[in-house]
Amino acid sequence: MKLNKIKLGKTFMIAALSAVMLATGWQSPAKVEAAANAVPSYEVKFLLSNDAVLKPDFTLKNEVKDAFQMNEPAARMLVEYFDTTDLSLNDSGWNVRFRKKEDKKKYELTYKKRYAVVNGDINAALTQANLDGFSAADTNYEAEVDWGYSKQTLSFSNDKEESTSKGLNLPNEAEALNLLVSKIPGKLDKTNAPGWGTAQLLQAYAHGPILASRYSGTFEGLETDIEVWPIIGANGSGTEYVVEISFKTDDYQTAASKRTNLMNLLNNKGWLVPADSLKTNLVLDRY
């Protein structure tokens, strides 16, 4: 008799719970959909032969300026990167850049995470980045594929600003570092371990600065830049000039077709260096 009462009690409770669920519209938790991969823009970059495109004063030759309708004078900017002595940030895929353009009233702070694109498989790189939290849902980062002579690199850039005056001025190293630490994005700070990014930046120093020049023009309807970077020589003396041409587009097919056209033009003119640009690594290694 007691057993029957227990069974009846359980049946009543189940029925009561079912009635409550129907009345309140309660449902089981919805399945959480994974965020979509980020959609990148594309920046095509080629190295130019400094002997072929620069005058003795290291400005662009007229033939080069005319080919791309380059404006003069070139815009100038100071650029420096922050990393530790053993380049721990770079080795973990991060570049931290501090930049000041002469005609702007702001410092530009950029935190960039890089992923190698293997055998042209951009989707695989985007999927790997997504696993690290760099997805279409994260609007704090701009996804971009840097497309050079023989390789592609996927990057996610987080840009911050700090007001200042116009001119070619940088804060001293300690002030610049304090700004970078104060604005550090969470993904960098949590790389490898919580607080790792801040700890690395606090041990970092300025690699640079470089006084770079940028000429702006067009190629087949796309805004195109040529930058000239004077970088200290490999032996610690003298200057090596790195010259790079680039354009940006949001469309893969446009990037691919215009890239081929630009490469052919540069090759026919004798201006192309058949190698990928490593100017960031040069700055990190030599300063």
Side-chain angles (χ1 to χ4, degrees):
M1 190 72 176
K2 187 178 290 186
L3 183 60
N4 287 337
K5 286 184 178 180
I6 292 173
K7 286 182 177 179
L8 286 171
K10 285 184 177 179
T11 301
F12 176 79
M13 288 175 63
I14 292 171
L17 284 172
S18 298
V20 170
M21 289 164 62
L22 287 171
T24 60
W26 183 89
Q27 296 177 350
S28 61
K31 182 179 179 181
V32 177
E33 296 293 334
N37 283 352
V39 179
S41 59
Y42 298 86
E43 182 172 15
V44 171
K45 298 179 179 180
F46 289 118
L47 280 176
L48 304 181
S49 167
N50 51 25
D51 291 334
V53 303
L54 296 182
K55 298 177 183 178
D57 64 356
F58 304 107
T59 60
L60 281 183
K61 290 182 177 179
N62 292 336
E63 182 185 0
V64 182
K65 289 184 290 187
D66 292 343
F68 301 102
Q69 301 86 49
M70 290 289 169
N71 296 324
E72 284 204 283
R76 298 189 300 168
M77 55 188 172
L78 287 169
V79 186
E80 58 189 4
Y81 293 88
F82 279 79
D83 209 333
T84 60
T85 302
D86 59 357
L87 303 183
S88 60
L89 292 168
N90 186 63
D91 289 346
S92 292
W94 285 95
N95 289 141
V96 177
R97 185 184 68 193
F98 200 102
R99 183 170 68 182
K100 176 63 174 67
K101 296 176 181 176
E102 185 175 20
D103 62 339
K104 301 297 182 182
K105 292 184 177 181
K106 60 185 179 182
Y107 297 128
E108 299 174 358
L109 291 64
T110 299
Y111 309 82
K112 180 182 288 189
K113 173 65 172 172
R114 309 180 317 276
Y115 292 88
V117 176
V118 180
N119 296 325
D121 194 344
I122 296 171
N123 285 330
L126 288 167
T127 298
Q128 178 58 54
N130 197 340
L131 294 174
D132 294 339
F134 296 96
S135 69
D138 191 342
T139 58
N140 293 318
Y141 288 82
E142 294 290 334
E144 182 177 84
V145 173
D146 296 329
W147 196 345
Y149 180 77
S150 63
K151 72 174 184 178
Q152 296 171 320
T153 302
L154 172 66
S155 66
F156 290 82
S157 295
N158 183 305
D159 298 317
K160 305 288 181 66
E161 297 178 353
E162 183 72 15
S163 296
T164 185
S165 58
K166 283 186 178 182
L168 283 172
N169 59 292
L170 284 175
N172 63 46
E173 185 175 73
E175 291 172 338
L177 190 56
N178 284 338
L179 282 174
L180 289 167
V181 170
S182 69
K183 296 177 182 291
I184 188 171
K187 285 186 174 61
L188 169 54
D189 196 31
K190 297 173 185 175
T191 299
N192 298 323
W196 179 88
T198 294
Q200 300 310 303
L201 269 182
L202 289 173
Q203 300 175 51
Y205 70 93
H207 298 253
I210 311 299
L211 176 55
S213 301
R214 174 184 288 171
Y215 296 83
S216 297
T218 59
F219 174 71
E220 296 187 354
L222 292 177
E223 186 175 314
T224 302
D225 294 326
I226 294 180
E227 293 188 1
V228 181
W229 285 48
I231 298 174
I232 195 169
N235 62 359
S237 64
T239 302
E240 177 181 343
Y241 285 83
V242 176
V243 187
E244 183 181 88
I245 187 169
S246 65
F247 67 78
K248 294 185 179 184
T249 178
D250 291 332
D251 180 65
Y252 175 87
Q253 294 300 333
T254 300
S257 62
K258 301 287 188 183
R259 175 182 176 275
T260 298
N261 295 346
L262 179 57
M263 182 187 288
N264 290 339
L265 171 64
L266 298 175
N267 199 39
N268 291 337
K269 293 283 190 180
W271 299 341
L272 179 67
V273 175
D276 290 295
S277 178
L278 298 171
K279 69 177 188 291
T280 301
N281 288 339
L282 291 178
V283 174
L284 290 173
D285 289 339
R286 297 182 183 181
Y287 290 82

